[in-house]
Amino acid sequence: MMSSINDLLELLENAEELDQLATARHLYEMILVKDEADENYAATLMYVANLVDLGDLNHAEATLARIEEEIPEDLSAAFLSQRGDLQSHRGNYAEAEKDYREANKIDSNEGEYLVFAAQAAFQQGQVARAEYLIREAIAIGGEALDEAYGNLAGYLVAQKRYQEAKVCYEKVVSLDSDNDHAREWIEDLNRVLKLQV
């Protein structure tokens, strides 16, 4: 049986790629109980993400509480993001938004945390704030730019700003030519815009 941390991490990576959540959880637990992994905070945060995905929110919260005082500075944004995910899954969107915004203050390189903050604001019915946050994320750029434009389009649709939403979906398609969801929205918005004339 493979028992070294590196072997377990490789198995874990494979399980995550295949979306095998139960296997991933078991592997995380094997990694975290090994003496040499006592301070493997990155693995602990991945474990928390897995617990949240599985709906084991109480265990996720307890795990975060256990490491909160010890989390290294370079993982503090990731910690806040995981706590935001937990809050979001619990329906505590105001707390989730706060955690994501704090994470962005620590690490604003990708704008990803602002994308999450905008989603939490939108879940609270704060569409204008969601739009503001997602525009900040777009200004930062990063790998999640197509997702950010797609979210902005959704927030604009919610405000009945259809022409602007269509432009955003067109931007999504320019960033990801295989995005059929955005293409369908463009077609739908074209119909709505024709009806408005």
Side-chain angles (χ1 to χ4, degrees), residues 52-73:
V52 169
D53 287 343
L54 287 168
D56 193 349
L57 303 183
N58 290 337
H59 192 176
E61 183 175 28
T63 304
L64 283 175
R66 181 171 50 82
I67 65 168
E68 183 170 8
E69 297 300 319
E70 306 165 359
I71 200 79
E73 189 175 325

Side-chain angles (χ1 to χ4, degrees), residues 38-109:
D38 279 348
E39 295 183 6
N40 194 339
Y41 298 108
T44 303
L45 291 174
M46 290 187 293
Y47 176 55
V48 169
N50 182 262
L51 290 170
V52 169
D53 287 343
L54 287 168
D56 193 349
L57 303 183
N58 290 337
H59 192 176
E61 183 175 28
T63 304
L64 283 175
R66 181 171 50 82
I67 65 168
E68 183 170 8
E69 297 300 319
E70 306 165 359
I71 200 79
E73 189 175 325
D74 64 325
L75 291 174
S76 58
F79 174 87
L80 288 165
S81 179
Q82 286 305 320
R83 193 169 69 187
D85 288 350
L86 173 63
Q87 295 292 356
S88 184
H89 275 75
R90 285 212 159 126
N92 300 330
Y93 299 114
E95 290 300 314
E97 180 189 346
K98 184 172 129 184
D99 283 338
Y100 294 136
R101 290 172 77 167
E102 286 299 313
N104 183 71
K105 286 180 185 175
I106 295 167
D107 179 10
S108 62
N109 290 335

Side-chain angles (χ1 to χ4, degrees), residues 111-129:
E112 179 182 35
Y113 299 128
L114 287 178
V115 171
F116 300 149
Q119 290 168 345
F122 187 73
Q123 289 295 328
Q124 297 171 71
Q126 303 292 328
V127 183
R129 188 165 69 229

Side-chain angles (χ1 to χ4, degrees), residues 128-184:
R129 188 165 69 229
E131 179 186 347
Y132 173 81
L133 290 167
I134 205 71
R135 286 187 186 278
E136 279 191 25
I138 288 169
I140 293 169
E143 290 181 21
L145 202 52
D146 58 333
E147 179 185 357
Y149 272 108
N151 289 0
L152 175 57
Y155 305 152
L156 293 169
V157 167
Q159 298 174 72
K160 299 181 182 179
R161 293 162 57 190
Y162 302 123
Q163 183 60 46
E164 292 173 78
K166 179 184 166 195
V167 171
C168 288
Y169 280 123
E170 289 169 344
K171 184 69 175 174
V172 171
V173 171
S174 74
L175 293 167
D176 176 12
S177 60
D178 295 329
N179 192 316
D180 292 332
H181 178 74
R183 290 181 191 285
E184 290 169 9

Side-chain angles (χ1 to χ4, degrees), residues 3-38:
S3 60
S4 79
I5 291 291
N6 288 336
D7 291 338
L8 291 171
L9 288 171
E10 185 177 330
L11 287 171
L12 175 61
E13 185 178 327
N14 291 336
E16 286 186 332
E17 285 177 10
L18 296 171
D19 209 19
Q20 298 171 340
L21 297 179
T23 301
R25 177 182 180 165
H26 180 71
L27 290 166
Y28 281 125
E29 289 170 352
M30 289 177 68
I31 291 166
L32 295 173
V33 297
K34 289 193 162 289
D35 290 340
E36 59 200 283
D38 279 348

